[in-house]
Amino acid sequence: MHPTVVLIINFLMSLSLLIVLHELGHFIPARLFKTRVEKFYLFFDIKYSLFKKKIGETVYGIGWLPLGGYVKISGMIDESMDKEQMAQEPKEWEFRSKPAWQRLIIMLGGVIVNVVLGFVIYIGLIAYNGTNEANGADFKYGFGFPETLEDVGFRKGDQILLIDQDTIDFAPSLNQKLIFRDIETVTVLRNGEQVEVTIPEDIGSKMFEAGVSTSLEARVPFTVDSVAVDSKAYKIGVKDGSKIISVAGYPIEYNTDYSYAMNHKVKHEEPFEVVWEYNGERYNKEVTFSTIEKKSFFFFTKEVDEPKVLGIIKKPTEKEYAQVTRKQYSFSESISAGISRGYWTMHDYIVQFKYVFTAKGASQLGGFGTIAKLYPDTFDWTAFWATTAFISFILAIMNILPIPALDGGHVMFLLYEIITGRKPGDKFLERAQIIGIVILLSLMLYANGNDLFKALFG
């Protein structure tokens, strides 16, 4: 099966599960509080339903537009904008007739289910798979660092030992922690001695703007395993089994040296030299990356910078350069570990919002296409469930935002009512709902427009 088809299947399976469970989070407390639920839908049924069946007071169905789902609760001002119902006298089974605390529980139900589901999945994954553990000393040649981290004091070959004087379970996760968490010091092993690197407060922003990966790359010696046909390396004569000596005058000993040279030493429109050895002979050729005309869907074209890729596949010359161990957990231990992973997953996702309000962050904001690409393009159940847990947390966080038309908007008005004892008027809530819908549609258009633009123009 084609990888794209598998990805779409994974996306739709996960999305369907998350939507149904989220809406059950509203449905169950509504029914417990004897509130009538008129509709329970997976996906949106604009003008048409793929399936529907009425059971009791509720119509259960599947819509044709896979952008979400909903439950329609009687006597509630929501996206249906059912003004005819709201103009009538409140009925005892309607949402608006229930005490504020019951309405609050109904509105929080979906978010609570998403959060609990994320924790449960992580607990299950850790109980089943365990976790990888390896501190810096377990990586024989240490790590390579981008310029952004070299500027604050890291040096190639450093082995990560401590973060704020506490051990780090998995050293390659340092970058993610620096981007999303408040870290003051990192202790490294450098040439057999411990060195403390002081971390500036704005390191996360600098790393984000520089496009630094969230995973730190371990160093290992390498040779060329294979060369892509018609690539730059192929055209200058690099062959399988070659050893890269230097790129743009930067000496290459480890894979991270190669990455560093390509990212920081090679410039577009500036010729640079590649030096390599093959069968004991040394060769050198000049290469230039320029602009190319990129064709996209609908025959659109755009002049873009040529990707800085020589076209080689690297092969480590040493297998034991990293000693990664798999830590196994008892079920009780996995509960604590799963809750910790869930907490930090939500923490890091919330922190990244500060980067959204930058030019780079706004340009990277994505819609359904971006979310779909998070899923594996193979039937890998560990990756599927890990992604589902992550998306479940995203849905919880996005839904609790205090925007009218989202669960968080309803919660905001209900909290106001509980605190002040005054219920916002129906007209006010209707106007707020319209404003919220406009905001959400605008955000959706912008995010999905970014996806479309990237698909068309790269």
Side-chain angles (χ1 to χ4, degrees), residues 434-451:
I434 293 171
I435 292 171
I437 291 172
V438 171
I439 292 172
L440 290 178
L441 287 176
S442 299
L443 288 173
M444 286 181 63
L445 286 172
Y446 178 79
N448 288 287
N450 268 351
D451 283 348

mmCIF file of all heavy atoms in Angstrom, residues 434-451:
data_model
loop_
_atom_site.group_PDB
_atom_site.id
_atom_site.type_symbol
_atom_site.label_atom_id
_atom_site.label_comp_id
_atom_site.label_asym_id
_atom_site.label_seq_id
_atom_site.Cartn_x
_atom_site.Cartn_y
_atom_site.Cartn_z
ATOM 1 N N ILE A 434 -21.010 34.218 17.163
ATOM 2 C CA ILE A 434 -20.725 34.610 15.776
ATOM 3 C C ILE A 434 -19.286 35.104 15.650
ATOM 4 O O ILE A 434 -18.562 34.738 14.718
ATOM 5 C CB ILE A 434 -21.718 35.696 15.309
ATOM 6 C CG1 ILE A 434 -23.131 35.100 15.215
ATOM 7 C CG2 ILE A 434 -21.288 36.267 13.963
ATOM 8 C CD1 ILE A 434 -24.211 36.129 14.964
ATOM 9 N N ILE A 435 -18.869 35.943 16.607
ATOM 10 C CA ILE A 435 -17.492 36.446 16.586
ATOM 11 C C ILE A 435 -16.507 35.286 16.690
ATOM 12 O O ILE A 435 -15.502 35.237 15.971
ATOM 13 C CB ILE A 435 -17.267 37.445 17.738
ATOM 14 C CG1 ILE A 435 -18.089 38.717 17.489
ATOM 15 C CG2 ILE A 435 -15.786 37.785 17.884
ATOM 16 C CD1 ILE A 435 -18.112 39.671 18.664
ATOM 17 N N GLY A 436 -16.795 34.341 17.601
ATOM 18 C CA GLY A 436 -15.922 33.181 17.761
ATOM 19 C C GLY A 436 -15.826 32.352 16.493
ATOM 20 O O GLY A 436 -14.738 31.901 16.121
ATOM 21 N N ILE A 437 -16.963 32.156 15.824
ATOM 22 C CA ILE A 437 -16.966 31.388 14.572
ATOM 23 C C ILE A 437 -16.119 32.082 13.517
ATOM 24 O O ILE A 437 -15.340 31.441 12.789
ATOM 25 C CB ILE A 437 -18.408 31.172 14.074
ATOM 26 C CG1 ILE A 437 -19.154 30.205 15.010
ATOM 27 C CG2 ILE A 437 -18.411 30.628 12.650
ATOM 28 C CD1 ILE A 437 -20.634 30.086 14.720
ATOM 29 N N VAL A 438 -16.237 33.412 13.438
ATOM 30 C CA VAL A 438 -15.441 34.176 12.469
ATOM 31 C C VAL A 438 -13.948 34.038 12.770
ATOM 32 O O VAL A 438 -13.125 33.840 11.864
ATOM 33 C CB VAL A 438 -15.852 35.668 12.476
ATOM 34 C CG1 VAL A 438 -14.879 36.495 11.646
ATOM 35 C CG2 VAL A 438 -17.266 35.837 11.946
ATOM 36 N N ILE A 439 -13.591 34.132 14.062
ATOM 37 C CA ILE A 439 -12.182 33.981 14.453
ATOM 38 C C ILE A 439 -11.669 32.597 14.079
ATOM 39 O O ILE A 439 -10.583 32.450 13.498
ATOM 40 C CB ILE A 439 -12.022 34.216 15.969
ATOM 41 C CG1 ILE A 439 -12.290 35.683 16.317
ATOM 42 C CG2 ILE A 439 -10.619 33.816 16.429
ATOM 43 C CD1 ILE A 439 -12.335 35.954 17.810
ATOM 44 N N LEU A 440 -12.459 31.565 14.403
ATOM 45 C CA LEU A 440 -12.030 30.198 14.113
ATOM 46 C C LEU A 440 -11.897 29.944 12.617
ATOM 47 O O LEU A 440 -10.933 29.332 12.155
ATOM 48 C CB LEU A 440 -13.008 29.198 14.721
ATOM 49 C CG LEU A 440 -13.009 29.084 16.245
ATOM 50 C CD1 LEU A 440 -14.067 28.084 16.693
ATOM 51 C CD2 LEU A 440 -11.639 28.668 16.760
ATOM 52 N N LEU A 441 -12.875 30.428 11.847
ATOM 53 C CA LEU A 441 -12.807 30.254 10.390
ATOM 54 C C LEU A 441 -11.593 30.973 9.821
ATOM 55 O O LEU A 441 -10.919 30.465 8.912
ATOM 56 C CB LEU A 441 -14.086 30.759 9.736
ATOM 57 C CG LEU A 441 -15.333 29.884 9.915
ATOM 58 C CD1 LEU A 441 -16.553 30.557 9.309
ATOM 59 C CD2 LEU A 441 -15.125 28.506 9.281
ATOM 60 N N SER A 442 -11.286 32.154 10.351
ATOM 61 C CA SER A 442 -10.122 32.909 9.880
ATOM 62 C C SER A 442 -8.836 32.154 10.172
ATOM 63 O O SER A 442 -7.944 32.054 9.320
ATOM 64 C CB SER A 442 -10.083 34.296 10.541
ATOM 65 O OG SER A 442 -11.234 35.042 10.221
ATOM 66 N N LEU A 443 -8.739 31.618 11.399
ATOM 67 C CA LEU A 443 -7.547 30.845 11.761
ATOM 68 C C LEU A 443 -7.421 29.594 10.912
ATOM 69 O O LEU A 443 -6.319 29.237 10.471
ATOM 70 C CB LEU A 443 -7.604 30.472 13.244
ATOM 71 C CG LEU A 443 -7.379 31.609 14.248
ATOM 72 C CD1 LEU A 443 -7.639 31.116 15.674
ATOM 73 C CD2 LEU A 443 -5.967 32.166 14.136
ATOM 74 N N MET A 444 -8.561 28.917 10.673
ATOM 75 C CA MET A 444 -8.529 27.711 9.849
ATOM 76 C C MET A 444 -8.115 28.027 8.421
ATOM 77 O O MET A 444 -7.321 27.300 7.815
ATOM 78 C CB MET A 444 -9.895 27.025 9.863
ATOM 79 C CG MET A 444 -10.226 26.309 11.163
ATOM 80 S SD MET A 444 -11.847 25.494 11.120
ATOM 81 C CE MET A 444 -11.588 24.305 9.808
ATOM 82 N N LEU A 445 -8.648 29.113 7.875
ATOM 83 C CA LEU A 445 -8.288 29.507 6.512
ATOM 84 C C LEU A 445 -6.813 29.850 6.413
ATOM 85 O O LEU A 445 -6.132 29.482 5.453
ATOM 86 C CB LEU A 445 -9.141 30.700 6.063
ATOM 87 C CG LEU A 445 -10.605 30.395 5.722
ATOM 88 C CD1 LEU A 445 -11.383 31.683 5.490
ATOM 89 C CD2 LEU A 445 -10.689 29.499 4.482
ATOM 90 N N TYR A 446 -6.304 30.556 7.428
ATOM 91 C CA TYR A 446 -4.892 30.938 7.407
ATOM 92 C C TYR A 446 -4.000 29.704 7.521
ATOM 93 O O TYR A 446 -3.052 29.538 6.739
ATOM 94 C CB TYR A 446 -4.595 31.902 8.559
ATOM 95 C CG TYR A 446 -3.142 32.303 8.616
ATOM 96 C CD1 TYR A 446 -2.641 33.279 7.761
ATOM 97 C CD2 TYR A 446 -2.260 31.691 9.504
ATOM 98 C CE1 TYR A 446 -1.302 33.642 7.795
ATOM 99 C CE2 TYR A 446 -0.924 32.039 9.543
ATOM 100 C CZ TYR A 446 -0.449 33.016 8.690
ATOM 101 O OH TYR A 446 0.872 33.375 8.712
ATOM 102 N N ALA A 447 -4.299 28.826 8.505
ATOM 103 C CA ALA A 447 -3.465 27.649 8.727
ATOM 104 C C ALA A 447 -3.496 26.706 7.534
ATOM 105 O O ALA A 447 -2.456 26.242 7.056
ATOM 106 C CB ALA A 447 -3.928 26.924 9.992
ATOM 107 N N ASN A 448 -4.696 26.434 7.025
ATOM 108 C CA ASN A 448 -4.791 25.535 5.871
ATOM 109 C C ASN A 448 -4.304 26.210 4.601
ATOM 110 O O ASN A 448 -3.834 25.538 3.680
ATOM 111 C CB ASN A 448 -6.230 25.038 5.716
ATOM 112 C CG ASN A 448 -6.612 24.033 6.790
ATOM 113 O OD1 ASN A 448 -6.169 22.896 6.776
ATOM 114 N ND2 ASN A 448 -7.427 24.469 7.748
ATOM 115 N N GLY A 449 -4.408 27.549 4.560
ATOM 116 C CA GLY A 449 -3.827 28.287 3.441
ATOM 117 C C GLY A 449 -2.315 28.143 3.421
ATOM 118 O O GLY A 449 -1.706 28.030 2.344
ATOM 119 N N ASN A 450 -1.691 28.135 4.617
ATOM 120 C CA ASN A 450 -0.249 27.885 4.697
ATOM 121 C C ASN A 450 0.099 26.512 4.137
ATOM 122 O O ASN A 450 1.075 26.352 3.400
ATOM 123 C CB ASN A 450 0.213 27.972 6.158
ATOM 124 C CG ASN A 450 0.681 29.363 6.545
ATOM 125 O OD1 ASN A 450 0.820 30.239 5.706
ATOM 126 N ND2 ASN A 450 0.912 29.564 7.825
ATOM 127 N N ASP A 451 -0.724 25.520 4.496
ATOM 128 C CA ASP A 451 -0.496 24.161 3.969
ATOM 129 C C ASP A 451 -0.587 24.152 2.448
ATOM 130 O O ASP A 451 0.244 23.539 1.758
ATOM 131 C CB ASP A 451 -1.536 23.190 4.544
ATOM 132 C CG ASP A 451 -1.233 22.777 5.972
ATOM 133 O OD1 ASP A 451 -0.106 23.049 6.440
ATOM 134 O OD2 ASP A 451 -2.118 22.211 6.628
#
